[in-house]
Amino acid sequence: MEGASSASIRWALLCTLLCLSLSLSHCNVTYDGRSLIIDGHRRILFSGSIHYPRSTPQMWEGLVRKAKDGGLDVIDTYVFWNVHEPSPGNYNFEGRYDVVRFIKTVRDAGMYVHLRIGPYICGEWNFGGFPVWLKFVPGISFRTDNEPFKLAMKKFTQKIVQMMKVEHLFQSQGGPIILSQIENEYEPVKKIFGEAGKAYMNWVANIAVGMGTGVPWVMCKEDDAPDPVINTCNGFYCDYFSPNKPYKPTMWTEAWTGWFTDFGGPLYKRPVEDLAFSVARFIQKGGSFVNYYMYHGGTNFGRTAGGPFIITSYDYDAPIDEYGLIRQPKYGHLKDLHSAMKLCERALLNANPVVEPLGNYEQAHVFSSTSGGCAAFLSNYRTNSNVRVTFRNRHYDLPPWSISILPDCVNEAFNTAKVRVGTMEFQFLPLKTGLKPWESFNEGVSFVEEDSKISVAGLLEQLNMTRDATDYLWYTTSVDISPSESFGGRSPLLRVQSAGHAMHVFINGQLSGSAFGTREKRRFNFAGNINLRVGTNRISLLSVAVGLQNQGSHFESWSTGIAGPVTLEGLDRGTRDLSWQKWSYKVGLKGEYMNLHLPDSSQSGSWMHESSIMQKQQPLTWYKTYFDAPEEDEPLALDMGSMGKGQVWINGQSIGRYWTALAKGECGGCSYSGTYRPVRCQSRCGHPTQQWYHVPRSWLKPTDNLLVVFEEIGGDALRISLMKRSVSAA
Ligand code: GAL
């Protein structure tokens, strides 16, 4: 073997001998400076992230099959601590959370698994995957050298490793898991944690390795990952990346296929030409493992979206769309890339690349050896001009920003910018089956005034009150106005400062305004003139969480809710600070206590019939209707374009938060945005960021499916419609 160091040759030999002395199917996975070594063989592996709670178990097999047909070898998933341990010591591995079933589905398809246990995951997932109860463990400080945190994190990690061992799911036991991840993206927060952060990193590596899984551990984006843990790259491009030791393979555990978005943001698309170019660049520099993040993004069902403000769809512009449909040309072009790469695999694994300049911005990377044959990658790094290059006396035309792959050093099998797959477009189409007549239920504000249990002087932090069992917390106070008060002829100005994320202001039970933060700036100020009357006035502020922070240092200490001050300006006696007067609190909504979203809700008598909702678009209203499952078999979605903001349930299961906030951005055209920034295109500007919401087929029964909507601001429920997602050639 040419070009590899003698240390790595020894390591590979050792593994091969070990493999032969054990049975082949019970072989440890090892690595050397070139790649992972499975069953004694070096491998170039393509992997894709599919997160099991972001789809339904009924979708898993189809998704995994499509991934395999797309040329992937590995499925990668995080483990989502907060859905598995909703309260300390109480575990849930049922339904969408059945991680063992998911891994077995991948195994049965003949693929490998990369299990990213974390348990900090980021992932645009609520609280970065941490259960909210963890924040309330006395003395806790997340992701640093802190005993209460380390205890809880180790316990959960061990629990997951143990579950996998019991089911024989590690490759060392004959199972599909070839790789595991501990922690995630520590590099960006490391400086803040200083020495304690370093101690934590060493501890994390030790406990992981000590769990004896028989497969390597990685840390994604942690430059100082202690041996033998492999540090890996994430980003839009990773060809600049090298692991921290020469005897570790070059792995890209998150190649971003698109991007997530927030309510009010545009949708981001990453052209497949740019993605394929970045992958080819990585492989030609010696990379041997690429995981597409995401390969199927899916849906943030329920209140699992993080943020704040991450939308319910986690489509990500991935090769398989949110609904499980193949996205062309992204899927097909990557499949072609994988086929071309597989033709080069022997050459890639048996030689180090020799770089030959072909021009100022053009290069050839040549992998040549007697044992592996020859493969070449010809690259044009110019962003806007075609070039004709000469390589070994032959001419090759390279489009801008592209790489041609020559598996035999002669014939071009693939060029990253020459897409041979046709474009398909998705659309939502109406269905024959409609929704039955609607009923409504007024949530109202009165409940708070009558029922409030907690009254204290001052403003309380939202999560301390809700423990994230609900998005909603009512803050209510009163203001007395004497008959002599004239406000100088104007309405007084109410000012409220909130730590996030959204708020609706009700004065004497009437909606008087709303205010929202953004993902960049979750804190916001409300200022609005309000109508007060002589006597006692109720000021009720409904503070709404829209997904908890999923990244940043010490995010456990970030506050949510009305932080204050709350002031009234324009009263005859000057500005009045309401922050320290008596406030009453109510956690959650009346409808939540009544379980209005459940099919067997006992309160069915209090719903009003359709005629009443046709007249007014009331805030704080629950709507319900029924529908029969459509006969067609395309995926389904609800068009919520006529509504404002709230949540939707089907047969008692939450399909997520909806919000028709209009997208701001720079739409039109796709642009190359600079070194190591991707080519990106934005869409939906001026339209709701998310108008359609996935209704999983498996949640439906043949007839009388219950659809419940809770609307915060006011919308037209009669115009909600069920649609099918279909694909057509562009
Ligand atoms: C990464 C992180 C992922 C996800 C991604 C953006 O840095 O590891 O979990 O948040 O960014 O989608």
Side-chain angles (χ1 to χ4, degrees), residues 78 121-124 184-185 234 254 256 259-260 293 314 316:
Y78 283 131
I121 61 170
C122 190
E124 291 70 68
N184 190 39
E185 276 217 311
N234 71 6
E254 285 186 30
W256 296 328
W259 202 238
F260 61 86
Y293 187 101
Y314 199 61
Y316 221 90

Side-chain angles (χ1 to χ4, degrees), residues 357-481:
L358 302 176
N360 287 345
Y361 294 92
E362 299 84 25
Q363 285 181 330
H365 285 72
V366 185
F367 297 78
S368 175
S369 69
T370 41
S371 49
C374 187
F377 291 58
L378 310 185
S379 43
N380 173 11
Y381 300 117
R382 292 170 200 266
T383 54
N384 46 23
S385 49
N386 281 296
V387 284
R388 169 163 286 197
V389 293
T390 308
F391 173 67
R392 298 193 174 173
N393 301 323
R394 281 172 170 257
H395 297 309
Y396 298 87
D397 288 319
L398 304 179
W401 205 238
S402 83
I403 294 181
S404 281
I405 299 178
L406 283 44
D408 55 359
C409 282
V410 179
N411 295 298
E412 177 185 296
F414 181 86
N415 175 282
T416 56
K418 296 179 189 166
V419 180
R420 295 184 199 128
V421 184
T423 299
M424 303 292 279
E425 262 162 21
F426 296 117
Q427 48 190 158
F428 290 99
L429 299 175
L431 286 154
K432 279 184 238 120
T433 28
L435 303 176
K436 297 186 179 166
W438 285 92
E439 294 170 63
S440 70
F441 176 90
N442 179 17
E443 168 73 31
V445 188
S446 56
F447 173 66
V448 182
E449 295 167 16
E450 292 153 12
D451 257 23
S452 195
K453 303 261 170 23
I454 310 154
S455 289
V456 291
L459 296 160
L460 301 178
E461 198 277 335
Q462 182 158 343
L463 286 183
N464 280 334
M465 301 296 292
T466 63
R467 305 269 160 146
D468 202 36
T470 165
D471 280 351
Y472 301 102
L473 179 64
W474 282 103
Y475 293 70
T476 307
T477 194
S478 58
V479 175
D480 288 328
I481 299 295

Side-chain angles (χ1 to χ4, degrees), residues 95-146:
R96 282 204 324 277
Y97 307 148
D98 192 345
V99 57
V100 166
R101 175 171 164 189
F102 179 74
I103 293 173
K104 287 183 176 171
T105 306
V106 179
R107 176 196 66 193
D108 296 347
M111 299 177 79
Y112 297 126
V113 171
H114 171 26
L115 192 65
R116 306 178 75 190
I117 301 179
Y120 168 68
I121 61 170
C122 190
E124 291 70 68
W125 191 257
N126 198 43
F127 221 39
F130 286 147
V132 174
W133 55 257
L134 196 64
K135 164 184 160 77
F136 297 99
V137 170
I140 204 147
S141 186
F142 287 1
R143 305 181 68 202
T144 185
D145 192 14
N146 166 275

